[in-house]
Amino acid sequence: VLNDKFRGMRIPDAADLNEYNGLDKVGSHYAVGSNSVLNKPKLDGEKDVNSFGLIVERISQGYYKQILMPADLAENSIYTRTYAGNVWHDWIKLETELDKGTLINNGEDLNDYYGEDKMRKYYAGGGNNVKNKPAGTNAFGLIVVRVASSYYRQLLFSSTRQVEEKVYVRVWNASSWSEWQEIGNSKQGINLQLGTLDWSAKAFSVATERNNFEITGDECKAVYGKSAYGGTHYLDVIPGEEYTVSFEAKADVAYANDDNTVIMQYFSENRSERVVFKWLTATLTTEFQKLAFQITVPNNSKIKYMNVGLRATNDVNTSVTYKHLKVERGYVENPVYSQAPQDIIDKNIELENKITTLEERIAQLESKMEV
């Protein structure tokens, strides 16, 4: 019979990993679900770790090491830290080959890139002759995820950063691949703004700001008199860069003249200083209308980030409702709303996790029935 220390001991919710040093903690541990365990690492410095496995090892007299492995299927990294001098040092993310991306060799066929063994990040360099990539594609990055049992999705990114960048997606339906579908092209850029289809917490620079609004489906309402005000998540920008900001908006009371709709905000390196801001104005009616603004990041060397501030107008006593916010690089005529690629990936991962959980439950039931 395996000792519990090697089989895995469950970490209680709200336990503090700083207390996981000492001989009594050496061994294997795990935490499940959206736990509130303290002093665990942040994925990429922002996202909370949910389920994870933890190994605690003694490496010398009074010295211990923790090795933490997130259960998130999209997170293939390992985190480690050391207890020395009676203190825990910072978590360090160990870069793995999967983090860096796996090279697709010349002559390989993207039609073969499905299945659990292919779920990871890839890249191909310029001048490659990889088969069944989208027509006209040169260097690219590729992500393969599972979206259902025996169903997989490929998301392919072109190598350029400018507005002409392209993103393609297709699905393996357990027997064949669909055609590549382009979701970013020379006239329509990629949406850099996260979470605007359902206005999730990741749409905002501070997740709790979502609570200041009334969210209904794809609509986000800034309620007059409620002091509704929130900036969207921070975007890395360079002074002088050009962007197009588009969205649909309506007011409970129509504006008689041009008035404020949203505010473009520009922040310094630490995000605590708003260096510059500028209101975007328009005439709003009680029906949704599409608005698009071409903006240029002010030429101020202190500016490192930009976001879009949503709020009810001060000049007219009315609430304002927004939907389909899109921020894209370059000046784009007649912009068309599309989700941010990361939103598509996150939804696929969420679906995959639900499927995995369901499969585990089915297996447990089958096991009980056999008994």
Side-chain angles (χ1 to χ4, degrees), residues 14 27 58 118 154 177 234 342:
R58 186 171 73 162
K118 296 295 186 181
Q154 291 181 347
W177 283 104
Y234 296 105
Q342 186 61 47

Side-chain angles (χ1 to χ4, degrees), residues 171-184:
V171 175
W172 171 260
N173 64 6
S175 61
S176 63
W177 283 104
S178 66
E179 296 295 325
W180 283 107
Q181 178 184 352
E182 185 179 342
I183 58 176

Side-chain angles (χ1 to χ4, degrees), residues 167-208:
V167 177
Y168 299 88
V169 65
R170 66 174 182 167
V171 175
W172 171 260
N173 64 6
S175 61
S176 63
W177 283 104
S178 66
E179 296 295 325
W180 283 107
Q181 178 184 352
E182 185 179 342
I183 58 176
N185 55 49
S186 59
K187 293 184 179 179
Q188 300 299 327
I190 292 173
N191 193 354
L192 305 174
Q193 173 62 55
L194 300 177
T196 57
L197 187 63
D198 56 2
W199 295 97
S200 63
K202 64 184 177 181
F204 299 93
S205 57
V206 179
T208 54

Side-chain angles (χ1 to χ4, degrees), residues 204-257:
F204 299 93
S205 57
V206 179
T208 54
E209 286 187 351
R210 183 179 187 275
N211 300 327
N212 291 335
F213 298 87
E214 292 182 358
I215 309 295
T216 307
D218 60 358
E219 297 182 8
C220 176
K221 186 173 186 177
V223 181
Y224 179 77
K226 191 180 177 181
S227 297
Y229 184 83
T232 60
H233 86 283
Y234 296 105
L235 300 173
D236 296 339
V237 294
I238 299 172
E241 279 189 322
E242 298 171 342
Y243 289 84
T244 298
V245 178
S246 59
F247 53 90
E248 295 178 52
K250 68 176 182 179
D252 289 356
V253 178
Y255 290 6
N257 300 296

Side-chain angles (χ1 to χ4, degrees), residues 18-297:
N18 282 355
E19 298 175 358
Y20 276 63
N21 59 310
L23 292 177
D24 61 321
K25 297 298 185 182
V26 170
S28 175
H29 308 264
Y30 69 96
V32 299
S34 300
N35 62 77
S36 54
V37 172
L38 303 176
N39 289 303
K40 56 188 177 182
K42 294 276 191 180
L43 301 184
D44 295 324
E46 297 181 359
K47 180 182 176 184
D48 276 332
V49 173
N50 289 324
S51 300
F52 63 87
L54 178 74
I55 296 174
V56 181
E57 291 286 352
R58 186 171 73 162
I59 55 177
S60 184
Q61 183 70 32
Y63 287 69
Y64 295 87
K65 184 174 289 290
Q66 291 180 349
I67 303 171
L68 187 144
M69 295 153 284
D72 189 334
L73 294 176
E75 175 60 38
N76 293 306
S77 296
I78 296 173
Y79 295 80
T80 184
R81 65 175 182 166
T82 302
Y83 182 81
N86 295 320
V87 296
W88 280 107
H89 294 264
D90 291 340
W91 286 104
I92 298 173
K93 178 181 178 180
L94 302 180
E95 188 178 57
T96 67
E97 291 301 316
L98 295 181
D99 288 323
K100 293 185 290 186
T102 302
L103 174 66
I104 300 175
N105 295 317
N106 274 334
E108 290 198 59
D109 191 340
L110 293 189
N111 283 357
D112 297 330
Y113 278 66
Y114 65 91
E116 292 186 357
D117 62 323
K118 296 295 186 181
M119 291 167 51
R120 65 186 68 175
K121 306 171 188 175
Y122 300 90
Y123 69 96
N128 68 78
N129 60 354
V130 172
K131 299 175 183 177
N132 286 302
K133 60 185 178 181
T137 299
N138 191 18
F140 63 87
L142 180 75
I143 298 174
V144 180
V145 296
R146 189 175 73 171
V147 295
S149 182
S150 300
Y151 280 62
Y152 295 85
R153 185 183 295 272
Q154 291 181 347
L155 193 65
L156 186 145
F157 300 83
S158 67
S159 62
T160 58
R161 181 177 184 271
Q162 304 305 317
V163 70
E164 64 267 23
E165 67 192 346
K166 296 182 180 182
V167 177
Y168 299 88
V169 65
R170 66 174 182 167
V171 175
W172 171 260
N173 64 6
S175 61
S176 63
W177 283 104
S178 66
E179 296 295 325
W180 283 107
Q181 178 184 352
E182 185 179 342
I183 58 176
N185 55 49
S186 59
K187 293 184 179 179
Q188 300 299 327
I190 292 173
N191 193 354
L192 305 174
Q193 173 62 55
L194 300 177
T196 57
L197 187 63
D198 56 2
W199 295 97
S200 63
K202 64 184 177 181
F204 299 93
S205 57
V206 179
T208 54
E209 286 187 351
R210 183 179 187 275
N211 300 327
N212 291 335
F213 298 87
E214 292 182 358
I215 309 295
T216 307
D218 60 358
E219 297 182 8
C220 176
K221 186 173 186 177
V223 181
Y224 179 77
K226 191 180 177 181
S227 297
Y229 184 83
T232 60
H233 86 283
Y234 296 105
L235 300 173
D236 296 339
V237 294
I238 299 172
E241 279 189 322
E242 298 171 342
Y243 289 84
T244 298
V245 178
S246 59
F247 53 90
E248 295 178 52
K250 68 176 182 179
D252 289 356
V253 178
Y255 290 6
N257 300 296
D258 281 1
D259 207 343
N260 301 331
T261 58
V262 299
I263 181 174
M264 301 306 302
Q265 305 180 111
Y266 304 93
F267 296 87
S268 61
E269 180 70 40
N270 60 14
R271 302 178 183 177
S272 62
E273 179 187 0
R274 188 174 70 175
V275 180
V276 182
F277 69 89
K278 181 179 179 180
W279 286 101
L280 305 182
T281 62
T283 298
L284 294 185
T285 69
T286 56
E287 300 293 331
F288 277 113
Q289 60 179 315
K290 181 70 171 288
L291 300 172
F293 302 89
Q294 296 177 341
I295 66 169
T296 301
V297 179

